Structure formats: structure tokens, C-alpha cells
Amino acid sequence: ILGGYEARPHLRPYMASLQLDGQHVCGGFLIAEQWVLSAAHCTEGTNGQLFQVLLGAHSLTEPEPHKRLYRVRAQIAHPGSNIHNNRDDLLLLQLEEKAELNAHVKVLPFQREDRDVEADTMCEAAGWGTVTHSGRRPDKLQQVERPVISRELCNHRTRHDQTITEKMMCTDSRKKDTCKGDSGGPLVCNGVAEGVVTAGSRVCGNYKKPAIYTRIAPYAAWIDGVMASAAG
Ligand SMILES: NCc1cccc(Nc2n[nH]c3ncnc(Nc4cccc(O)c4)c23)c1
């Protein structure tokens, strides 16, 4: 998160850190007791290695009550996701067991009504992604408020030039923005997860490249189907 600030500890008890060998790789969030939603692009370069999921954390390194690392039973990328574009950039992770819910570990409801969030709506992104252009990584969860911008503006020739589909949404990226390592985290508007951070052009903090999110509502049926049909 560029241009943001340290989140109030445990005010976002749905936040997950997807880790490999103890290193934060991507964000994610708890959508059900045994399921975390993130971004399919997060699996790039992991050559099929399964993530571990850290829940209940504020600091990535300090011991905290209710902080717990969960093993993953299955990682299911949306069948339409691929490395060449940002379409269908969603990843479902089934935890080895149901997460122990408490004040620091909670499920975040996601939007099921497929209707665009109005432009200028203030939403929040949070994550342990880089906090400087030089790539400094924070120890504590960061957050930033960003206004939604219209798909029309986001698709302008000088911005993302007609690549933003009706299954994506954008926020202004001037100075304050999501960045490397924030992919997979939720865009929360009025307390509901409306989008999932996708890297898009990978640029951070440049108003010419607004932040892009996969809208969740269009994928509600896919999410429900995967959760319903997964092993017991
Ligand atoms: N703001 C959109 C967004 C959301 C999520 C991730 C991303 N960026 C990135 N995702 N993956 C990446 N691998 C390498 N570099 C990256 N961005 C980068 C790194 C240093 C300086 C800088 O200005 C930008 C990214 C960008």
C-alpha cells in the first residue's frame, strides 16, 4: 500500500496473508470458515507450491494472540484466469480445517448484487504490500482509502484503454494506491467486499494507471459452486 497508514490492529479481522516459506506473497480474505478468496495471479512463479494462510495477524513477525498459520487443502484458480490478462483473476483457497473464528478472525461478506459501485464512492484497501516505490515491505497491516472511478474514465485511451470489462472496477491511484503484495486483498466499500485487488499494469501510485479490482458479484455463483462441491 503506497501513501496509506498502519491499520488499527485487528479492525480488519478478515485479512489473510498468503505466504510461501514464511514470506508474505499476497493478500486475501476470509469469505467462509474454511475459505479464503485471493487473486489467481498470486500463484505465478510458485510452480504449484501451496500457500500457507496467516489469519488473525496485524504484525507479520511479532507473536500475537489469535494469530495462526493455516495449511491449505486446495487452491482453485478461476478457469478463465491466465497470465496474459487480468480477466477472472480469482483464487479460492480451502483451508485444511475450519478457521477458529474470534474477535481477530472473522468472515467478510462479499457483494452478491451485480451492480456497479457508484463513482466517487470511498472504499478501503488494506494489505502488507510494498509501501515505497523502492519496494520496502511493512511488518504491520497498512490501509488506504480510495475513491471509485467510472469504468468510462478507467477505460480512457490515456488510462487502461478499453481493457476494463464489466467484471472489473477501478479506483483513483494518484499517490495513494495498492502495490506489489496487495494483490488478492479486498476492496471494501460500506463494509462489504466489492472487489479483489489485481496487479493490472503493476504500476503503483501513478494516476494514469488507476488500480484495478476484479468485481466479486459477477462470480458469486462460481464461488458458491466451488465451496459447495469441495471435499467435506
Ligand atoms: N496499483 C495496482 C497494483 C496492485 C497490485 C500490485 C501491483 N504491482 C505489482 N504486482 N506485482 C508486481 N511485481 C513487481 N513490481 C510491481 N509493482 C511495482 C514495484 C515497485 C515499484 C512500483 O512502482 C511498482 C508489482 C500494482
Side-chain angles (χ1 to χ4, degrees), residues 85-96:
N85 60 47
N86 300 306
R87 287 200 288 273
D88 304 332
D89 188 17
L90 294 177
L91 179 72
L92 276 167
L93 301 102
Q94 183 185 27
L95 305 178
E96 271 285 9

Side-chain angles (χ1 to χ4, degrees), residues 132-133 135 177-183 197-199 202-205 211-212:
T132 66
H133 282 287
D177 194 9
T178 47
C179 200
K180 184 172 194 283
D182 291 322
S183 294
V197 177
T198 184
R202 293 189 158 190
V203 170
C204 308
I212 308 171

